[in-house]
Amino acid sequence: MSPVAVVTDTTHYLPSELTTAAGIHQVSLWVNDGETHVRESDMPDYHAYYERLRRSETMPTTSQPSIGDFLAVYEPLVQQGCDIVSVHLAGGVSGTVESARQAAAEAVGSGQRRIEVIDSNTAAAGLGVVALAAATVANAGGDIDAVTARANLAAANVKIWFAVDTLEYLRRGGRIGSAQAWLGGALKIKPILTCEHEITPIERVRTSGRAFERLAAYLQARMDDGADAWLVQHIEAHDQAEAMVERGREIFGTDPVAVSQVGPVIGTYVGPGLLGVCAAPSSLMR
């Protein structure tokens, strides 16, 4: 049986020790802040970036990996005899998955290996869970059909909610999706959003405290539905993230799979102050 390699992109923002231990390969998206054009994977100091983002009058831009970026990861794996399952950021948010499909067609050609490209329809920790679920089956010796099936099952069952301080970054970056309808009266609210193919509005609340409680209530609802693996992510909101971890431990009776900060590619469009939660059945990663 040929081995199966799992590839994802940098917008999962899981701790590197977690993805490295799972054997997940990675393709980086790009960030252009007006002065430099760098791979997100080469930007370890997120704090400095977000300080510049707060002060900047010019919106930084981001870009998907090129076909060449994908080929640089795919081709060595194909040469090693691997099939590949490549799982990526929601296609409604980024063209990354389409670049992956084009690169996959070129990398495989008329050869004997297969590359399955999957639109996770989610982002950040949600994407990370889908990649981890796929890697679990690959590492257990599953073939490409089994790995693909697990990735698709995870994508259907993982859910994320996140609260942002303002919709302004989403508006400026053109990623606001159906939350566009909230813009007129959104100055004094804390939007709660999700990503289901695109950024989708859930609820508007009046204070950060209320937003925190709604995210915690969402974790409780997910646990009640059987989603017992959970994650917390944030952008420059360390105290809120720590408080959410404590609340999550009360709800689940376990530690989170991961707690991490969201990086510049997604952070550019949601802005500092984001607090997010993610939950999925732990059976997906067994």
Side-chain angles (χ1 to χ4, degrees), residues 167-228:
L167 290 173
E168 179 62 17
Y169 291 98
L170 283 164
R171 183 196 66 79
R172 290 171 63 191
R175 300 299 200 280
I176 196 165
S178 54
Q180 176 79 28
W182 282 359
L183 278 177
L187 294 179
K188 296 182 179 180
I189 66 165
K190 299 299 179 185
I192 298 174
L193 308 162
T194 188
C195 183
E196 295 178 351
H197 184 64
E198 66 176 10
I199 302 299
T200 304
I202 296 294
E203 184 177 336
R204 294 176 289 184
V205 297
R206 292 292 179 183
T207 66
S208 296
R210 180 59 179 158
F212 181 96
E213 291 302 326
R214 285 296 292 124
L215 293 177
Y218 181 66
L219 283 181
Q220 179 69 60
R222 291 292 288 148
M223 192 274 285
D224 293 343
D225 288 339
D228 54 340

Side-chain angles (χ1 to χ4, degrees), residues 84-167:
I84 298 170
V85 174
S86 198
V87 185
H88 297 290
L89 175 63
V93 175
S94 168
T96 297
V97 72
E98 185 55 37
S99 285
R101 290 185 179 119
Q102 294 177 42
E106 186 171 334
V108 172
S110 58
Q112 299 301 308
R113 301 273 62 85
R114 287 172 56 192
I115 301 178
E116 293 290 337
V117 176
I118 296 173
D119 184 343
S120 72
N121 283 313
T122 186
L127 171 61
V129 168
V130 178
L132 287 173
T136 297
V137 176
N139 292 333
D143 64 14
I144 189 169
D145 292 323
V147 176
T148 299
R150 178 63 64 88
N152 284 324
L153 181 63
N157 283 277
V158 67
K159 303 293 181 184
I160 63 171
W161 271 24
F162 55 96
V164 297
D165 274 349
T166 174
L167 290 173

